[in-house]
Amino acid sequence: MKRSIATGLGIAAALSMTLTGCGGGSGGTGSDSAASAGPVTISLAGWSLATTPEFKTLADAFHAANPNITVELKEYDAANYDTQMVADLAAHSAPDMYVQKNLMNFFTYQDGGQLMDVSDVAKKLGKGISGLNAYKVDGATYAIPYRQDSWYLYYNKDLFDAAGVGYPDGTWTWDDYAKNAGLLAAGLKAAGSRAQATYQHGWQSLVQGFANAQSPKADILKGDFEYMKPFYKRAIAMQTAGDQPTYGTVTTNSLTYQAQFGKQKSAMMPMGSWYVATLIAQEATKDADTFNWGFAPIPQLDSSTITKPVTFADPTGIGINPAIDKSKVTAAKAFLAFIGGEDASTKLAVIGITPAYSSDAVTTVYFGVKGVPSDDLSRSAFATHDTKPENPVSKDTAAIQHILLDMHSSIMSGSKSVDAGIAEAEARVKSEVLNK
Amino acid sequence: MASSTLTTPIAEIGSAPVHGGNRSTRKRIARAFGYAGLVIAAAAVLLPFFWMVMSSLKTNNDVFTVPIQWIPKTFVWSNYVDIWQKSDMSTWLKNTMILSVAVTFLQLLTGSFAAYGFSKVRFPGRDVLFLAYIGTIAVPWQAYMIPQFILMSKLHLVNTLWSIVALQAFGAFGVFLMKQFYETVPEALSEAARIDGLSEYGIYRRIMLPLSVPALASLALLTFTKTWNDYLGPLIYLRSPNLWTIQLGLKSFVGQYNAEYALIMTGSVLSVLPIAIIFMLGQRYFVEGIATSGLKG
Amino acid sequence: MATTTVVARRPGSRLKWRNTLLGWSFILPNFIGFAVLTLVPVIALFYIASTDWNAFGTARLVGLDNFTRLLSDHSFRIALWNTVYYTAFHIPLTLGLSLALALLLNRKMRGVAFFRTAAFFPYVTSIVAIAVVWNMLFSPEFGPINQFLTSIGISHPPGWTTSSTWAMPAVIIVGTWREMGYYMLLFLAGLQTIPPELYEAARVDGANPWQRFLNVTIPCLRPTTFFITVMLTIGSFNVFDLILVMTNGGPGQSTLVLSQYIYQKGFVENKFGYASAVAIVLFLICIAVTVVQFVINKRREN
């Protein structure tokens, strides 16, 4: 008797928790006051506040321009940001605004009704902003980007000189890249250097990101991955030839790209634009060596896209929690408008962030920072590129990307051949994702 | 009452009686080899920890290198000073200590108490209820983490140290462990006590608890260690930096684009020390002999 | 409280009622916390498994859809197989090693405290550090293990965590290394409950050490062994953080286990309903095995 009462209560409690969900839209608690004349405080979720200055920069710059509104930062864990955010949103304790780390998780939040429609803010933004379209679903925009990374090819001028190989000049295709890696390997060995030609980090995006962005008509949502074959075959050939550390070495020894390039263990490295600021900071703390380096546009599939190199990265944006107090919506939208503008972008450029809004002023500020290579090639890599999103916004993206991650590890570790790995991934997507 | 045998080694597998000069020399050689074997085995077991200690004395970009650097090129002793200054290690240590002690104490108390009920008192539904206890250990925590978080949130426990205490102190593990140990205590002892006029609570306090010191000590150490090293729980429930535990705090050295690996290793080494010390000093509680002499009176 | 009644000897409704009250009074402090904080969410889990909840909105009932999908889910079958593979090796290895260690270190000898602490160290060290270091040790080109293997003449040493054939054995090795000290401690505590008089009596009867082990140690350790076996079983089926940080299920899906699959479906793909269904299957498997162990134990008890 006692047991069944307890069980009954338990089920009732459980049901009540899941049946009252947080639906999208309203939910404003507290005051409904229309006029927000007094000072307003809005909260923003960010991560690793001590080592990631971009959030504080935005908050302080906005406050300087709008003394009435204070943006309060809430700290989340860098690696587990989305796990914590999902838990908080489920329990209705999330902050007023929160950062969209990538498009894969953006879909989760938008589809779950956890983002407010901010199309009105988007309409008023200047033309120079990139990544805004990625946040558009069914005609409405749900977040505003403040940062748009892209991928460059970093190169160590001193090591290139020692090997007697010419620097990347912005016209390289991937075949040029592989060819020069071979020349570098031979040249470095002859010069007695222990450095390797290039470094490919372990992430799946090192191969797939470029394949997806640069191959015509590539769409991971269709489940057809033939176009990735040349990219994988090239990567396997380079690691077999010893031009780069093998995937197995990279993962089992937890190699870090900061150490590989920064301590001059590799002559070149494809990596994201965020690394510029990190390298400069590490040069100052002596965690990295001081040497001559630059960054070039990433190699292309063929020479047709040389004038506007195709690269990839998801934008980083901020969205509004629909459970926000109604009286704070105007302030939150004002913040979103701010982060997509030139003022915020120049402030971000000063700390080495690649802002979503680009203009000549922003470029000048970015390259005015001490330590940033000031050659023309770097400037053009920064200012001229066609950045495609890394993740399509769809309910199948997370599952497909995970299947592709498994494929990446099995191909690059040598457990499966390129053809077998791709065939298996296609079969899995067909049966596990598309037939659902 | 028969004599108590508190310090006699109990398991004597493989020990042969000493009979004369040759035997004793052989035994000594065998023992020397045995010791050597143990030392080598211990070294092998401790190898990863050795790497951790060495890495805690490197610079950040030297921690993960190929080939492996077993001994740092230069010893960065300042890491052990920096970690206190650069980060909030003292706060993390304090929080971790508070949580570990509180959870251990509550788990010992409520767990042994409940275990007595499950083990020595017969009441209807006891076994099924106990099976339900074990059953919840079998459900992976990630599966019900979110409903549990929503519930804790409604109870306004989230982002307080109490949340972790509440989550860990009432686990089924302690109940299960103590119940098994109570079952090794002969019923005759309790019978004798009952005839002498002790209540069930008295039996629990005066007979069961003292007899189960090794079990209690083991439970205490395991609970303490588990709480000390818990990462996922604090990740979800302890958000404010002033509530962070050591594991959370160390993770904060991993930024999105950069990680201070040497300091992470320093923190990890420091984190192991209190438990190792408690373990070494508390040895006698784990292997204290039990006086079961009450039977012979 | 009553002091002189003999409890639990004669069935009678008044006695039963008193025993019920007595039993519950002992259990209650632990049970309240357990019921509210653990039992309720677990019950909620069973409900969620019949929905397609995504953590935010209201849960939409889909009946047994999640379970039927499980049956044809190839990745689920791989995860199930890997979990059984891990468990089948992990349990006997860890059980044997920890018992051996406990027996070995249950004597008074110089430095025994140090050796016991050394055995316990792997359990105390942070899992991230363990995964990182073992990955390095297992590194096919640069790790000491393969360097040692090559030096004794093995020309193609295994790829360990970079090979889909050897990744699981590598994880099993690390799992056993990590947990042997933990269970050694529990066995040590269990060994203390064996009355030395029994060993004396056996020796007087002429039993050699092996016979003493079989006839005194093993039977007296039964409650402890049962406890350890159940915990080991549940722990092995639920292995999660070791695999997550060491191989993340890879290469490919060769070390994907059920609890990781649950985490993946729930927290990465936001399909909490489906994840809950998988969790229930895992739970049922654990319970089935535990019940079998319970029955065996009860039979040995009588």
Side-chain angles (χ1 to χ4, degrees):
Chain A
M1 193 182 73
K2 269 187 188 146
R3 253 178 295 136
S4 60
I5 290 181
T7 329
L9 281 176
I11 294 183
L15 285 180
S16 76
M17 273 194 300
T18 50
L19 286 178
T20 62
C22 336
S26 67
T29 57
S31 64
D32 264 284
S33 61
S36 49
V40 182
T41 307
I42 43 181
S43 54
L44 168 66
W47 55 77
S48 296
L49 296 181
T51 49
T52 321
E54 63 208 61
F55 311 112
K56 189 162 190 303
T57 306
L58 286 175
D60 291 345
F62 181 67
H63 185 64
N66 301 271
N68 233 10
I69 313 178
T70 312
V71 177
E72 189 193 331
L73 296 176
K74 294 229 176 296
E75 171 132 21
Y76 282 68
D77 181 89
N80 296 289
Y81 172 76
D82 292 297
T83 307
Q84 292 179 321
M85 189 51 74
V86 165
D88 285 351
L89 287 167
H92 303 273
S93 56
D96 299 322
M97 305 179 292
Y98 58 106
V99 179
Q100 304 298 304
K101 235 185 181 205
N102 58 48
L103 290 178
M104 204 161 65
N105 294 300
F106 164 73
F107 171 80
T108 305
Y109 300 125
Q110 188 275 327
D111 191 63
Q114 301 302 306
L115 285 171
M116 188 180 271
D117 184 344
V118 292
S119 310
D120 46 350
V121 178
K123 277 196 190 49
K124 296 198 214 114
L125 290 175
K127 282 259 184 307
I129 191 159
S130 82
L132 191 57
N133 279 341
Y135 291 129
K136 212 176 198 173
V137 180
D138 291 336
T141 312
Y142 289 92
I144 304 292
Y146 69 90
R147 158 183 200 154
Q148 173 71 72
D149 287 303
S150 5
W151 282 64
Y152 306 139
L153 180 65
Y154 294 81
Y155 59 101
N156 184 327
K157 292 182 183 168
D158 298 340
L159 286 178
F160 267 74
D161 291 339
V165 178
Y167 303 156
D169 55 6
T171 65
W172 282 14
T173 63
W174 285 105
D175 289 331
D176 294 329
Y177 170 76
K179 189 180 66 154
N180 279 290
L183 292 174
L184 272 170
L188 286 170
K189 192 156 172 224
S193 165
R194 298 182 61 178
Q196 283 185 286
T198 181
Y199 176 70
Q200 177 185 309
H201 199 53
W203 303 328
Q204 69 195 100
S205 49
L206 262 297
V207 177
Q208 298 171 5
F210 301 113
N212 294 337
Q214 294 172 348
S215 309
K217 295 204 180 36
D219 180 4
I220 62 169
L221 296 177
K222 291 217 174 56
D224 172 19
F225 309 124
E226 283 298 302
Y227 61 90
M228 290 193 190
K229 279 195 187 162
F231 286 85
Y232 271 107
K233 292 206 155 100
R234 201 164 21 233
I236 297 281
M238 285 177 61
Q239 82 178 9
T240 315
D243 297 338
Q244 62 192 34
T246 65
Y247 176 81
T249 302
V250 171
T251 52
T252 56
N253 289 281
S254 305
L255 293 186
T256 61
Y257 61 87
Q258 300 93 332
Q260 291 299 116
F261 189 77
K263 300 279 263 183
Q264 302 197 69
K265 301 204 176 115
S266 302
M268 51 181 182
M269 175 176 82
M271 188 40 68
S273 49
W274 59 79
Y275 180 55
V276 174
T278 308
L279 182 53
I280 295 174
Q282 288 198 330
E283 281 177 318
T285 61
K286 298 278 181 281
D287 278 317
D289 298 345
T290 310
F291 56 96
N292 294 307
W293 57 280
F295 53 94
I298 200 78
Q300 300 294 297
L301 188 57
D302 54 49
S303 46
S304 61
T305 48
I306 296 292
T307 43
K308 198 162 190 231
V310 177
T311 177
F312 75 92
D314 280 346
T316 313
I318 297 182
I320 302 180
N321 184 348
I324 190 176
D325 198 292
K326 280 201 179 63
S327 63
K328 297 188 184 178
V329 176
T330 325
K333 287 193 172 172
F335 182 72
L336 288 195
F338 173 77
I339 65 175
E342 189 165 79
D343 186 9
S345 303
T346 45
K347 297 270 184 338
L348 288 174
V350 169
I351 54 172
I353 307 283
T354 315
Y357 179 83
S358 55
S359 69
D360 290 334
V362 171
T363 310
T364 317
V365 170
Y366 188 83
F367 284 93
V369 172
K370 184 165 175 298
V372 180
S374 49
D375 52 84
D376 286 337
L377 191 60
S378 303
R379 286 183 91 101
S380 97
F382 176 84
T384 318
H385 45 67
D386 176 14
T387 307
K388 302 224 158 84
E390 184 178 344
N391 288 297
V393 178
S394 142
K395 66 173 166 51
D396 295 331
T397 306
I400 293 180
Q401 287 287 29
H402 193 83
I403 293 175
L404 287 174
L405 172 64
D406 291 341
M407 177 185 92
H408 184 76
S409 65
S410 55
I411 292 179
M412 293 304 298
S413 69
S415 304
K416 279 205 156 64
S417 71
V418 177
D419 296 326
I422 289 186
E424 185 192 27
E426 290 178 343
R428 277 186 65 192
V429 169
K430 251 201 207 68
S431 81
E432 293 177 28
V433 184
L434 297 180
N435 281 353
K436 294 288 176 293
Chain B
M1 296 288 203
S3 60
S4 58
T5 49
L6 280 172
T7 52
T8 317
I10 295 181
E12 298 173 323
I13 320 289
S15 60
V18 178
H19 275 319
N22 276 349
R23 274 277 183 93
S24 113
T25 318
R26 245 198 294 156
K27 193 175 172 195
R28 244 185 244 139
I29 295 178
R31 206 186 295 171
F33 266 108
Y35 258 105
L38 272 180
V39 169
I40 294 178
V45 163
L46 290 178
L47 190 65
F49 186 70
F50 174 74
W51 179 86
M52 266 173 67
V53 173
M54 289 296 114
S55 298
S56 69
L57 296 168
K58 296 178 186 163
T59 60
N60 288 326
N61 276 345
D62 279 337
V63 173
F64 296 116
T65 53
V66 148
I68 303 175
Q69 252 189 50
W70 287 102
I71 315 278
K73 288 191 283 239
T74 49
F75 283 76
V76 185
W77 297 101
S78 56
N79 278 342
Y80 278 91
V81 176
D82 283 346
I83 193 164
W84 298 96
Q85 294 170 342
K86 259 192 180 178
S87 68
D88 225 356
M89 185 71 169
S90 41
T91 310
W92 305 338
L93 191 57
K94 180 189 73 161
N95 288 333
T96 316
M97 194 57 95
I98 293 176
L99 282 180
S100 303
V101 170
V103 169
T104 304
F105 178 69
L106 277 175
Q107 167 94 152
L108 278 181
L109 196 64
T110 67
S112 62
F113 209 54
Y116 185 82
F118 275 118
S119 147
K120 296 296 183 192
V121 181
R122 269 186 231 276
F123 57 94
R126 179 187 75 164
D127 287 339
V128 177
L129 188 58
F130 189 66
L131 208 56
Y133 259 76
I134 310 299
T136 60
I137 305 182
V139 183
W141 184 58
Q142 307 88 265
Y144 61 92
M145 198 168 91
I146 296 280
Q148 195 180 49
F149 182 74
I150 297 177
L151 174 66
M152 296 282 279
S153 194
K154 289 202 166 55
L155 296 173
H156 296 290
L157 284 176
V158 176
N159 212 19
T160 67
L161 285 180
W162 289 111
S163 59
I164 302 295
V165 176
L167 279 186
Q168 307 278 27
F170 303 106
F173 176 74
V175 178
F176 192 10
L177 193 158
M178 296 310 298
K179 173 174 181 286
Q180 294 311 105
F181 277 93
Y182 289 156
E183 283 182 4
T184 68
V185 178
E187 185 67 19
L189 264 184
S190 322
E191 281 300 316
R194 271 182 216 122
I195 292 172
D196 279 350
L198 270 185
S199 71
E200 292 300 315
Y201 304 106
I203 297 178
Y204 163 76
R205 205 162 64 100
R206 281 174 221 258
I207 300 196
M208 288 301 171
L209 274 191
L211 279 182
S212 53
V213 164
L216 284 174
S218 305
L219 178 61
L221 182 72
L222 294 180
T223 311
F224 190 88
T225 307
K226 180 158 173 268
T227 317
W228 190 270
N229 282 343
D230 187 16
Y231 175 65
L232 279 181
L235 176 74
I236 302 294
Y237 287 94
L238 302 178
R239 301 303 181 86
S240 307
N242 67 317
L243 290 180
W244 283 355
T245 59
I246 296 180
Q247 298 299 323
L248 275 190
L250 289 184
K251 265 313 193 96
S252 75
F253 284 127
V254 180
Q256 197 178 8
Y257 307 117
N258 199 2
E260 298 196 64
Y261 294 108
L263 282 180
I264 294 175
M265 290 301 142
T266 312
S268 302
V269 169
L270 288 175
S271 175
V272 170
L273 289 183
I275 304 183
I277 294 175
I278 293 176
F279 188 95
M280 283 210 62
L281 294 181
Q283 287 290 304
R284 61 193 186 99
Y285 293 108
F286 304 127
V287 286
E288 188 160 275
I290 300 174
T292 54
S293 43
L295 283 172
K296 297 208 180 145
Chain C
M1 281 305 313
T3 51
T4 50
T5 2
V6 177
V7 294
R9 274 313 132 92
R10 282 172 313 176
S13 63
R14 200 180 129 146
L15 192 58
K16 232 191 228 181
W17 183 243
R18 177 174 275 144
N19 275 350
T20 310
L21 271 184
L22 191 63
W24 275 97
S25 72
F26 274 102
I27 295 176
L28 217 51
N30 184 283
F31 182 74
I32 292 180
F34 166 79
V36 170
L37 298 169
T38 308
L39 205 53
V40 167
V42 169
I43 294 175
L45 177 79
F46 279 81
Y47 171 70
I48 294 172
S50 60
T51 69
D52 66 352
W53 199 45
N54 66 355
F56 306 130
T58 54
R60 197 174 54 117
L61 275 171
V62 293
L64 292 175
D65 269 9
N66 289 329
F67 292 95
T68 40
R69 219 169 59 167
L70 267 181
L71 294 175
S72 53
D73 187 346
H74 189 57
S75 293
F76 168 74
R77 257 176 275 159
I78 293 181
L80 182 59
W81 165 250
N82 284 338
T83 311
V84 171
Y85 180 1
Y86 176 82
T87 305
F89 282 92
H90 183 68
I91 295 182
L93 277 175
T94 311
L95 201 60
L97 255 179
S98 51
L99 179 58
L101 275 175
L103 291 169
L104 186 64
L105 298 179
N106 188 29
R107 53 186 80 203
K108 282 204 157 329
M109 60 177 171
R110 234 174 310 174
V112 73
F114 168 74
F115 290 119
R116 285 192 202 125
T117 315
F120 195 61
F121 247 81
Y123 181 69
V124 178
T125 319
S126 105
I127 187 79
V128 173
I130 289 176
V132 156
V133 175
W134 274 99
N135 258 320
M136 275 183 2
L137 295 178
F138 278 131
S139 175
E141 290 168 66
F142 296 97
I145 293 181
N146 274 8
Q147 283 174 351
F148 170 73
L149 288 177
T150 340
S151 73
I152 61 174
I154 300 178
S155 50
H156 289 298
W160 301 114
T161 51
T162 65
S163 143
S164 49
T165 342
W166 289 96
M168 190 53 101
V171 170
I172 292 173
I173 292 175
V174 181
T176 305
W177 170 86
R178 181 169 183 236
E179 293 186 6
M180 60 185 189
Y182 178 92
Y183 291 105
M184 173 200 76
L185 188 65
L186 292 174
F187 268 126
L188 270 177
L191 285 174
Q192 308 319 307
T193 67
I194 305 179
E197 300 92 54
L198 289 181
Y199 284 110
E200 277 309 307
R203 194 184 291 145
V204 163
D205 281 351
N208 63 40
W210 178 248
Q211 284 170 326
R212 289 203 294 273
F213 174 68
L214 274 184
N215 295 315
V216 179
T217 313
I218 297 269
C220 288
L221 266 186
R222 198 192 29 83
T224 313
T225 313
F226 170 65
F227 169 66
I228 291 180
T229 315
V230 172
M231 293 310 297
L232 247 185
T233 310
I234 297 180
S236 306
F237 275 112
N238 281 13
V239 63
F240 176 61
D241 48 5
L242 176 66
I243 299 206
L244 191 73
V245 292
M246 213 173 145
T247 59
N248 198 22
Q253 291 182 299
S254 56
T255 54
L256 176 71
V257 288
L258 281 176
S259 57
Q260 191 192 355
Y261 191 60
I262 292 168
Y263 182 80
Q264 157 76 15
K265 287 290 166 194
F267 284 96
V268 177
E269 298 178 31
N270 233 48
K271 301 196 173 80
F272 283 98
Y274 191 60
S276 304
V278 180
I280 288 182
V281 172
L282 177 57
F283 164 77
L284 289 174
I285 296 175
C286 280
I287 284 291
V289 178
T290 306
V291 164
V292 168
Q293 289 168 335
F294 249 95
V295 165
I296 295 179
N297 184 56
K298 261 237 152 38
R299 223 172 268 166
R300 291 244 180 90
E301 201 178 319
N302 309 328

